Amino acid sequence: MTRPPPLLLLSLLLLLRIPGPCSGERSSSALEEIATEKEAEESHRQDSVSLLTFILLLTLTILTIWLFKHRRVRFLHETGLAMIYGLIVGVILRYGIPPTSGRDKPLSCSQEDRAYTTLLVNISGKFFEYTLKGEISPGKIHNVEQNDMLRKVTFDPEVFFNILLPPIIFHAGYSLKKRHFFRNLGSILVYAFLGTAVSCFIIGNLMYGVVKLMKLVGQLSDKFYYTDCLLFGAIISATDPVTVLAIFNELHADVDLYALLFGESVLNDAVAIVLSSSIVAYQPTGGNIHAFDAAAFFKSVGVFLGIFSGSFMMGVVTGVVTALVTKFTKLHCFPLLETALFFLMSWSTFLLAEACGFTGVVSVLFCGITQAHYTYNNLSVESRSRTKQLFEVLHFLAENFIFSYMGLALFTFQKHIFSPIFIIGAFIAVFLGRAAHIYPLSFFLNLGRRHKISWNFQHMLMFSGLRGAMAFALAIRDTATYSHQMMFSTTLLIVFFTVWIIGGGTTPMLSWLNIRVGVDPDQDPPPTNDSFQVLQGEGPDAERRNRTKQESVWIFRLWYSFDHNYLKPILTHSGPPLVTTLPSWCGLIARCLSTPQVYENQEQLRDEDSDFILNDSDLTLTYGDTTITANGSSGSHAAVTSLDGRKTKSSSEEALERDLGTEAPEVMSRGTRLVFPLDA
C-alpha cells in the first residue's frame, strides 16, 4: 500500500483541526489573553468606583453645606467637612476592604546602578512595560500595598498641579476686587514677598534645630539636610485662609481687613512656590551639596527673580493676546465659542509656563487679573456671566476635591512618617514664623500708612494664617526621600489643625477682637481727624472714590491714568477714543486700533477704575473761596447758588466729573480741603 506524502498528511491535519504538537501553547496563550482582558475590565471598574467615590464625597459635602447654611452654622467650613468625609472614606477603604492576593515579586537587577522611569521586562518571549512608582525601603519590601482600590484612589501629584490648581488660582485673580486690593497694595506686597521670605527662613532655621535635637536623641533614622528644612519652611509658609475669607464674606467683615488677608494669600501662594523652586535649585560648587555657598545663594536669588518675572510676563501676555483676539474678532456674536476660547487660553497659560520652566501658579494668577481688567470688557453679556460662573464652579469643586483627598490621604498614603518631636516643633515654628511675619512688618507699614493697621487687625491676620491646598500640593509633589515623607505627613496634620480649629474659631475671634461686621463692601471706615477732605467730592459715591484716591499708592495711580488713556482703548472697547489721547501725528494708528464700539458707547468715559486716575485737581488746596492748584496758580472757587437753593459747579469741575462719571446732585459744603497722593 502506497503511503501518502507528508505534505498531504499535514494539510489533512489542518483541515480536520487535529491537535498538533503546539496546541498546548496556543491554549495557554488564549487563557493568558482572557486573564489579561479580565484584569483590564477589573481595572476599568475600579477606576470608575474610585472616581464615583470622590463624586459622592463632593455631593455629600454640598448637601451638608446647604444644611449648615440653612441652620446658620459657622463653626465648620465646607473644606473642613470635605476633609472629615475624606477621613471616613479613607478608614473604610483601609480597614473595610480586604486586600487582594499578592502578585508582587521582587526581582534583582544588581547590574543596574539607577532606577528607570520605564522598564521593559521579557517574560517568556513577551515584553511588558512597567512604570516607576517610587522607592521602597528594604524594611517595607513585604508591606507593599496589595489593595487595588487604595492604589486607584492614590492620584499622581501632577494631577493636582495641572488639573486642580489652575482653576483655583485663576479664580482668585479673576474675582479680585481691584479697588480694595490696590488701595492696600503696598501693604499686601510687603506681607506677600518680604513676609513670606521671613516666615520661610525663620521656620527653616527653627526646624533645623529640631532636626538636630532629633538626631541627638536618636529619633532621626535617615538624612535630613538644612536645605530640606528651608524647603519645608517655603511649603508651610503658603497660607490658604479660604475658611476665614468665606466667613468674612458671609458676615461682611471690614473690607480693608478682607483685602489685606485675601491679597496676601493670593500672592503668598505664588511667592511660596517660586521660593521652593529656588531652594531646590540651590547647588553649591563644593563637594558638600548641602553646605552654604554664597555664589549658589545669589544664584538661587536670581532664579527666584527670573522665574517670578518670567511667569508674570507670560501670564500678562496671554491675557493681552486674549483681549486683542476678543476685541478684533466677531466672537461676541457666538458666546459659546467666546467662552470656550476664554477658558482654553486661561488654562493654557498654566501649562505653557510649566512647559517653559516657569511657575504656572504665578502665570495663571496674573493672567486672571489681566483677563478681568481687559478681556472681560470685550466679552458679550452672556460670556461675562458664563466665565464668572464657570470658574466659580470649577474653583469650588477643585478646592473641595483637594480637601477631600487630604482626608483620604491620611489613610491611603503608604509612606507616612510621623515624628512627635518634628510635629510639635513644626507647630511652634509655624506660630513663631507667622508672628514674625505679621507684627514687625505691620509696625513698619504703619509708619507710612494714613489708616493704620490696628492691633485687632494684626491679631486677626496672625490668627488667619491657615494652611491649605497649596501647602498640600507642594508637599505631595515630591515624597521620594525620608525627609520629604516626614514633611508631607506633618504638613497634612498642620492643615487639619488650622482648618478645623482656627477656621472654626473665626467667628468668636471676630467678636472678641471687636472687628466690624455687616459692612457694605463699598463703605469705608469713618474719616479720622487727620484725614483730608477732597475738592471734587459730593455724596457717598464721590467720597468713596476720593478716599480711594487719597489712600492708593501714587505710582499705581499714575499707572492707572496711563492705562485708562492708552492701554484700555487699545485692548478693549472702553475708555476714551485714542484719537483724543494720542498725539495728532498718530491719528492713523489711533483709528486702526479703535473699534466702532468705542464711538457708539455712550458710557465710554465712565471707567470703573477712575478711583485710581491721577489728574491735576488731585493736587489742590482750597481755603474758603481761594484755590491753590498744583502749578501754583490761585483763584476764586466760589460755588454759585441757583434759584432753587442748589449750588452749581464751575466748568472745570463739571468737565472732570463728566470724565470720571462721578457727578452727583448733593450740595457741596465749604471749608478747607486738600488732596495729595499718599502711599497706602
Side-chain angles (χ1 to χ4, degrees), residues 362-471:
V362 179
S363 183
V364 78
L365 170 65
F366 287 99
C367 176
I369 296 175
T370 307
Q371 300 275 48
H373 191 60
Y374 296 115
T375 312
Y376 184 80
N377 296 305
N378 298 336
L379 300 178
S380 61
V381 177
E382 295 87 347
S383 295
R384 291 183 183 183
S385 177
R386 285 177 179 177
T387 54
K388 286 283 186 182
Q389 294 175 359
L390 173 63
F391 281 100
E392 186 175 4
V393 170
L394 290 176
H395 162 263
F396 172 82
L397 293 177
E399 192 168 57
N400 282 278
F401 184 95
I402 290 179
F403 279 95
S404 298
Y405 187 80
M406 287 184 198
L408 203 67
L410 190 63
F411 294 96
T412 59
F413 186 70
Q414 291 300 300
K415 303 175 183 178
H416 279 306
I417 298 178
F418 294 103
S419 171
I421 297 178
F422 191 86
I423 292 170
I424 295 173
F427 273 94
I428 296 174
V430 167
F431 177 81
L432 295 178
R434 184 67 179 175
H437 178 170
I438 296 299
Y439 294 113
L441 295 182
S442 299
F443 171 78
F444 289 109
L445 287 171
N446 281 337
L447 298 178
R449 282 181 63 99
R450 172 178 298 278
H451 291 281
K452 311 299 182 185
I453 304 174
S454 60
W455 279 108
N456 57 345
F457 275 26
Q458 295 179 40
H459 296 329
M460 196 66 216
L461 290 171
M462 169 71 188
F463 180 81
S464 303
L466 283 74
R467 271 62 180 178
M470 180 58 68

Side-chain angles (χ1 to χ4, degrees), residues 112-171:
E112 304 297 334
D113 57 352
R114 66 184 182 89
Y116 293 92
T117 305
T118 304
L119 193 65
L120 296 178
V121 180
N122 184 353
I123 301 177
S124 301
K126 294 182 179 181
F127 289 89
F128 297 89
E129 181 181 2
Y130 295 85
T131 57
L132 180 66
K133 297 290 290 185
E135 182 182 1
I136 301 174
S137 60
K140 298 182 178 181
I141 191 67
H142 299 294
N143 297 327
V144 178
E145 181 57 60
Q146 298 298 330
N147 192 325
D148 289 338
M149 191 62 195
L150 287 181
R151 286 181 173 179
K152 292 294 183 182
V153 297
T154 304
F155 287 95
D156 188 336
E158 293 303 317
V159 171
F160 293 99
F161 264 80
N162 295 331
I163 297 178
L164 298 178
L165 275 184
I168 295 176
I169 303 300
F170 182 86
H171 178 264

Side-chain angles (χ1 to χ4, degrees), residues 223-228 230 278-294 296-297 300 481:
K223 297 178 181 179
F224 208 121
Y225 298 106
Y226 177 68
T227 50
D228 295 326
L230 287 180
S278 304
I279 294 173
V280 172
Y282 177 79
Q283 295 180 349
T285 55
N288 187 0
I289 62 173
H290 297 281
F292 178 77
D293 188 316
F297 172 77
S300 295
T481 63

